[in-house]
Amino acid sequence: MIRTTSARAVSLLVRLVPPFLALVLSLLAGAVVMAAIGKDPVLVYSRFFSETLGTPYGIGQVLFKATPLMLTGLSAAVAFRAGLFNIGAEGQLTIGAIATAIIGCSFPGLPAFLLIPFCLLGGIAGGALWGGIPGILKARFGAHEVINTIMMNFIAAALVSYLVTNVFAVPATVHTPTIAPSAEIARLDLVFPALHGSPANFSILIAFAACGLCSYLIWKTRLGYEIRAVGLNPHAATYGRISVKWTTVKTMLIAGGFAGLVGSNFVLGYKHYFELGFSEGIGFIGIAVALLAKNNPGGIIAASLFFGLLEYGGLTVNTLVPKEIINILQAVVIILLIILTRVFQRWIEHFQLVRETAAGHV
Amino acid sequence: MSESFLTVAFLAQTLRISIPYALPALGASFSERGGVVNIALEGILLVSAFATTTAIYYTGSPAAGIAAGIIAGIGVAFLHGIISITFKADQIVSGIAINLLALGATKFSCQIIFHSSSNSARIVGMEGWTFLPDVPILNNPFILGTIAIAIFSHFILFWSRFGLRLRSVGENPQAADTLGVNVARIRHVGVLISGALTGLGGAWLAIDQHSFTDGMSAGRGFIALAAMIIGKWNPVGAASAALLFGFAESLVIQLQGGTEYIQFIQMIPYVATIVVLAGFIGRATPPAADGVPYEKE
């Protein structure tokens, strides 16, 4: 009894300590960089936190930045669960977002309760298509999804560049025409007036729902069981009559679908059009979110809020230090996280081995 | 059409454009033959291009710039080695993090040094190089150097004791370990070589463009990785595949402005990579322990 309780405490420790340490150490590393270029870290961080969490407007901005990260985080996490690397969320969200925008401006006659779901489905389909192709290539030909998803990112970028400059073009801009008013998702300040001015909108509820759905999928459904089985041990999964190939394809479709929903936040909820380069690499930050959250949908909400805080916080301190300090912090978080997780695992294993030897189990 | 682009000038341009694909692809073959996947090549290109630019900016010497690029490449590769070999963390995640770090750190430093996060000041290139100035191809030391490195790499990898050891730790680290090979050390050396070669590629990017611009690696590190796979993890094959990508990009430049479908021509290298990886020109088999951290029993 005592053994299991302590084992549970140890496992909780292993799960919580490395992420927490990585966050604290990365903020310290940021302070060192700031000091190195002659800036006062205390001043920078105090502005960083007061202008993000200190005002309702700042909180709204953080929520807005966190929303797409939840979706790309889920995208990476679902793939990780199946032992796959989805580095293609960037391309998937790009295709999904432009599909959302095209549908949004093509059917102005439809009422909101039809047009918004239609736009979202278009986004899911676009993302799923872009994720599904590398999935099929992996299943059918064994082509590695890492290279293929990266290539799909470049193809997506070229494709939307063509569409925005030639097909759905607004002269002298790099965005599509504006979507119909009935496709717009309302801002959160409609209900929380304090958030006024911030772009936070109700698509954050879509992101929350996606996290809930993903949690249900992974833990309560047959498909989720198959995904986890393939990720833990494809040979055992095959022995258990799970088709690894088919599960790979389905996982990549789902991962792409989650990323494809990103357009709801920017296109439907904020700018009301698709713009080239709007995503600024959030597809890649999604991988960091999934890692920090250990691929758990609940953790993804928390991790997205943290990375959203960094994203907006970087903008608030841009007059003091170049905002790219944030990219450095994000990278340092990931590097420390994967190192600390390994170090901790080894300590725990060592600790358990020593105890078992002492207890005469070996 | 045929007379307009099958010229010596076009060939020279293709070779020139191929350099920053070929050098990282050559580097990748060392890293992966030793069992370490290195998608940090993209970030290494960026950091070394920035280091080269900064060094030339302060010294005015292209030689110092090239040295700085190589040293920076080795430095970033060492970070990848520490994370993925010493700490045995996931090689792909490490690569993603390093690429993110490189993108952020170069823009950050560019802002500090050149007061713009997107552009550096203009630097001198290889204008001072006066060997056979009027002979295309031969007048570019980087082209000759890259070809020489490709051939030399083949001999190192397949005919030297170090090459045998490197391949052994990539194929079967347990067996190599049993025979007294220090798996971690040999893998580190493979990764450092990939950093040095990619660093040279980054130096060329900066020298060729006479400046640093943010994100100027533009996916070349990833394509180099694909070229290495297409070349079946062999240096000469990897460099030849890089030449294909150089040809495609050269063609894009040639056709620029002549068509409104330019984006579709830009897609060709990426689509070609996917098609090739799907095995349409024969199966590519990676080293058996590629991407797998070595756990000593």
Side-chain angles (χ1 to χ4, degrees), chain A residues 16 37 70 81 88 108 150 165 168 174 192 210 250 292 299 316 334 341 357:
Chain A
L16 292 183
I37 59 163
M70 288 180 205
R81 285 278 178 194
I150 292 170
T165 46
F168 301 96
V174 286
F192 306 100
K250 284 191 277 193
L292 194 59
T316 65
I334 305 176
T341 306
T357 315

Side-chain angles (χ1 to χ4, degrees), chain A residues 33 37 80 85 87 137 141-143 146-148 150-152 154-155 158-159 161-162 165-166 285 287 291 322 324-325 327-328 330-332 334-335 338-339 342-343 346, chain B residues 39 83 87-90 92-94 96-97 100-101 104-105 107-108 111-112 117 218-219 222-223 225-226 229 260-261 263-264 267 270-271 273-274 277-278 280 283 295:
Chain A
V33 173
I37 59 163
F80 273 135
F85 271 99
I87 311 187
L137 290 167
F141 303 107
V146 167
I147 300 281
N148 277 336
I150 292 170
M151 295 301 131
M152 293 299 283
F154 289 115
I155 296 172
L159 182 63
S161 160
Y162 172 76
T165 46
N166 292 293
I285 308 295
I287 297 167
L291 284 173
E324 285 76 23
I325 182 94
N327 300 109
I328 298 174
Q330 287 167 333
V332 172
I334 305 176
I335 291 171
I338 56 179
I339 288 180
R342 290 291 309 192
V343 169
R346 227 170 304 162
Chain B
I39 70 167
I83 298 169
F87 285 103
K88 303 185 180 78
D90 191 284
I92 291 175
V93 177
S94 166
I96 293 169
L100 197 64
L101 184 64
K107 287 175 83 167
F108 182 86
Q111 174 74 47
I112 300 292
S117 66
F222 297 129
I223 297 211
L225 217 52
I229 295 174
E260 59 179 301
Y261 300 109
Q263 287 95 346
F264 290 96
M267 283 179 204
Y270 312 121
V271 176
T273 302
I274 290 176
L277 289 187
F280 292 116
R283 254 278 171 272
E295 296 281 0

Side-chain angles (χ1 to χ4, degrees), chain A residues 8 56 65 89 96 126 159 170 181 183 232 245 251 261 263 270-271 287 331:
Chain A
R8 206 168 294 160
K65 296 278 185 193
L159 182 63
V170 177
L232 289 172
K245 292 182 172 185
T251 305
L261 273 171
Y270 176 42
K271 283 285 175 85
I287 297 167

Side-chain angles (χ1 to χ4, degrees), chain B:
Chain B
M1 191 73 189
S2 63
E3 56 188 343
S4 74
F5 79 85
L6 277 180
T7 58
V8 175
F10 181 77
L11 181 64
Q13 173 175 273
T14 298
L15 287 170
R16 194 171 57 81
I17 287 176
S18 301
I19 294 169
Y21 294 106
L23 288 169
L26 287 169
S29 60
F30 280 95
S31 178
E32 299 224 0
R33 280 285 179 172
V36 181
V37 174
N38 192 353
I39 70 167
L41 296 178
E42 181 71 12
I44 294 174
L45 274 178
L46 264 186
V47 173
S48 52
F50 184 77
T52 298
T53 307
T54 309
I56 296 180
Y57 177 72
Y58 284 116
T59 66
S61 153
I66 293 168
I70 293 175
I71 292 167
I74 291 175
V76 181
F78 189 53
L79 178 63
H80 183 54
I82 293 285
I83 298 169
S84 60
I85 302 169
T86 307
F87 285 103
K88 303 185 180 78
D90 191 284
Q91 297 169 5
I92 291 175
V93 177
S94 166
I96 293 169
I98 288 174
N99 289 338
L100 197 64
L101 184 64
L103 190 67
T106 51
K107 287 175 83 167
F108 182 86
S109 312
C110 201
Q111 174 74 47
I112 300 292
I113 295 174
F114 299 105
H115 308 291
S116 154
S117 66
S118 54
N119 285 90
S120 75
R122 194 175 162 79
I123 54 166
V124 293
M126 300 298 285
E127 293 83 5
W129 184 264
T130 51
F131 179 70
L132 299 176
D134 302 320
V135 187
I137 299 168
L138 295 184
N139 64 2
N140 185 334
F142 275 86
I143 293 179
L144 296 181
T146 304
I147 295 170
I149 290 171
I151 296 166
F152 187 60
S153 298
H154 179 86
F155 283 103
I156 293 284
L157 211 44
F158 295 104
W159 295 93
S160 77
R161 207 162 77 136
F162 166 73
L164 178 65
R165 288 184 171 177
L166 185 67
R167 285 181 291 128
S168 75
V169 300
E171 288 290 343
N172 193 336
Q174 284 79 9
D177 194 6
T178 313
L179 294 173
V181 174
N182 186 333
V183 175
R185 187 188 298 163
I186 297 282
R187 284 188 165 185
H188 268 297
V189 175
V191 172
L192 293 181
I193 293 173
S194 81
L197 294 178
T198 309
L200 186 60
W204 167 250
L205 273 182
I207 286 172
D208 189 38
Q209 197 187 288
H210 292 92
S211 68
F212 173 85
T213 45
D214 66 314
M216 71 188 293
S217 51
R220 288 185 179 88
F222 297 129
I223 297 211
L225 217 52
M228 186 239 14
I229 295 174
I230 294 165
K232 301 196 170 139
W233 286 265
N234 292 334
V236 175
S240 311
L243 209 54
L244 279 180
F245 289 113
F247 175 75
E249 194 186 315
S250 206
L251 207 59
V252 171
I253 293 171
Q254 210 75 10
L255 297 172
Q256 204 107 45
T259 167
E260 59 179 301
Y261 300 109
I262 191 69
Q263 287 95 346
F264 290 96
I265 299 168
Q266 283 168 350
M267 283 179 204
I268 291 172
Y270 312 121
V271 176
T273 302
I274 290 176
V275 170
V276 171
L277 289 187
F280 292 116
I281 61 154
R283 254 278 171 272
T285 314
D290 201 10
V292 188
Y294 175 56
E295 296 281 0
K296 207 172 179 136
E297 289 302 320

Side-chain angles (χ1 to χ4, degrees), chain A residues 128-198:
Chain A
L129 171 72
W130 231 246
I133 293 171
I136 291 169
L137 290 167
K138 167 101 178 181
R140 177 72 180 78
F141 303 107
H144 206 294
E145 77 279 4
V146 167
I147 300 281
N148 277 336
T149 49
I150 292 170
M151 295 301 131
M152 293 299 283
N153 288 342
F154 289 115
I155 296 172
L159 182 63
V160 295
S161 160
Y162 172 76
L163 290 174
V164 168
T165 46
N166 292 293
V167 187
F168 301 96
V170 177
T173 70
V174 286
H175 61 74
T176 61
T178 306
I179 57 171
S182 56
E184 292 175 8
I185 290 178
R187 298 264 175 110
L188 281 180
D189 60 14
L190 200 67
V191 180
F192 306 100
L195 297 177
H196 184 72
S198 79

